[in-house]
Amino acid sequence: MEVIVEQTVEAMSRAAALEVAEILNAKPNAVLGMATGTTPLGLYKELAQMCRRGEVDFSHVTTFNLDEYVGLPVTHPQSFHYFMHENFFKHVNIPLENIHIPSGTASNYRAFCDWYENRIKECGGIDLQILGIGSDGHIAFNEPGSSLSSRTRLKTLAKPTIDDNSRFFNNRDEVPIYAITMGVGTILEARKCLLLANGKNKADAVSAMVEGPVTSMITASALQLHEDTKVFLDESAAGKLKMRDYYTWIQNKKPGAPQR
Ligand code: PGA
């Protein structure tokens, strides 16, 4: 894992956007794995601005989202379909037919999940997976205890996740308790992963992911087994990393690196 600590959320988002742009400029038909949540909003805003300025082009890009709540129609303001269109897709030049988001309203979830996995393969696999991390250390909706080999499936959400997400709903009872999520095994097959985290409520999860043991209790720790993962943090999310100085030293020693 490569750990990059930026002073602010804005700087973190900008650094991650440059990374995405670099990949798209090298491979215009790249397959991107997308994440929802508060964390990637700055990154999506940066990418939309870069797209408007002609610095990045999404016209040949294919996307696969990590997850979706079960039971919310795509028009529900808290569905991840709605989130992605509002916060990203409608601001870039991606063809609608290139967008894949798990269905939260399928009649046969098992068949849908198999189709989703196959569709990723048909499109050549994910070149770059964007990720956030939950305060319980989850990636996508792979809650503690999820198999590190898990595939796309229906998952029951953990109470801390329901609590974290209840801020977006009128009350806690409205928060869905099931989701369709890519598995940890699905995510580990992406050629490159970019995980973003900001804020001090993520500091414990980040330190467990980066410096703790690989364990299904912190599914993000499985990224220690991935050969090309970059972790972009702001100062607060990096606050509990024991090797923090070393990560900065590594960044400073890269050829042409700006001094931090
Ligand atoms: P957040 O969610 O970006 O809203 O904090 C991250 C996650 O749960 O994966």
Side-chain angles (χ1 to χ4, degrees):
M1 267 189 210
E2 189 175 336
V3 178
I4 299 123
V5 183
E6 299 287 350
Q7 298 281 318
T8 62
V9 188
E10 291 74 23
M12 176 196 82
S13 304
R14 174 91 189 133
L18 290 173
E19 195 77 32
V20 177
E22 194 180 313
I23 284 172
L24 295 189
N25 290 332
K27 186 177 180 187
N29 64 345
V31 178
L32 292 185
M34 310 302 291
T36 51
T38 314
T39 312
L41 283 173
L43 163 63
Y44 293 159
K45 224 172 166 175
E46 286 285 346
L47 286 173
Q49 280 166 5
M50 291 170 93
C51 186
R52 273 196 289 278
R53 293 195 298 258
E55 294 164 13
V56 68
D57 173 30
F58 288 86
S59 63
H60 299 287
V61 168
T62 298
T63 62
F64 285 90
N65 262 80
L66 286 169
D67 43 17
E68 177 58 288
Y69 287 123
V70 165
L72 297 190
V74 298
T75 49
H76 191 291
Q78 296 310 329
S79 77
F80 292 167
H81 280 76
Y82 188 91
F83 175 99
M84 286 309 299
H85 284 281
E86 285 304 305
N87 292 300
F88 188 59
F89 293 138
K90 78 176 191 191
H91 305 290
V92 297
N93 61 336
I94 185 165
L96 287 181
E97 63 272 20
N98 291 8
I99 295 170
H100 303 81
I101 304 177
S103 169
T105 53
S107 54
N108 180 339
Y109 282 109
R110 192 171 288 242
F112 177 82
C113 293
D114 289 347
W115 175 84
Y116 202 72
E117 287 274 337
N118 284 331
R119 187 77 192 121
I120 294 173
K121 288 198 184 81
E122 269 170 24
C123 293
I126 292 172
D127 291 300
L128 174 70
Q129 177 65 59
I130 296 163
L131 295 161
I133 182 169
S135 58
D136 63 0
H138 69 216
I139 40 172
F141 272 138
N142 292 290
E143 299 287 34
S146 294
S147 162
L148 300 187
S149 304
S150 51
R151 312 300 306 188
T152 304
R153 68 206 184 290
L154 189 141
K155 183 77 196 160
T156 308
L157 303 183
K159 277 179 73 180
T161 303
I162 295 173
D163 291 341
D164 281 352
N165 294 346
S166 62
R167 68 188 193 275
F168 301 115
F169 292 82
N170 294 328
N171 64 63
R172 201 178 177 285
D173 295 339
E174 281 182 25
V175 189
I177 58 169
Y178 303 107
I180 300 295
T181 182
M182 276 190 209
V184 181
T186 321
I187 293 167
L188 290 179
E189 281 171 12
R191 291 180 190 96
K192 187 179 183 89
C193 291
L194 286 191
L195 185 140
L196 281 72
N198 63 274
K200 67 174 191 300
N201 64 323
K202 298 292 174 71
D204 285 323
V206 165
S207 93
M209 163 182 73
V210 178
E211 297 178 341
V214 174
T215 167
S216 64
M217 296 312 288
I218 303 284
T219 53
S221 68
L223 293 168
Q224 292 178 27
L225 302 171
H226 189 273
E227 66 172 342
D228 191 0
T229 289
K230 288 194 178 183
V231 178
F232 286 92
L233 305 172
D234 74 345
E235 291 283 355
S236 322
K240 295 203 174 165
L241 289 172
K242 293 195 185 71
M243 304 276 284
R244 164 70 213 272
D245 291 348
Y246 177 54
Y247 308 136
T248 305
W249 164 264
I250 292 172
Q251 294 305 314
N252 285 344
K253 292 298 162 201
K254 286 195 164 186
Q259 295 303 297
R260 293 161 199 257

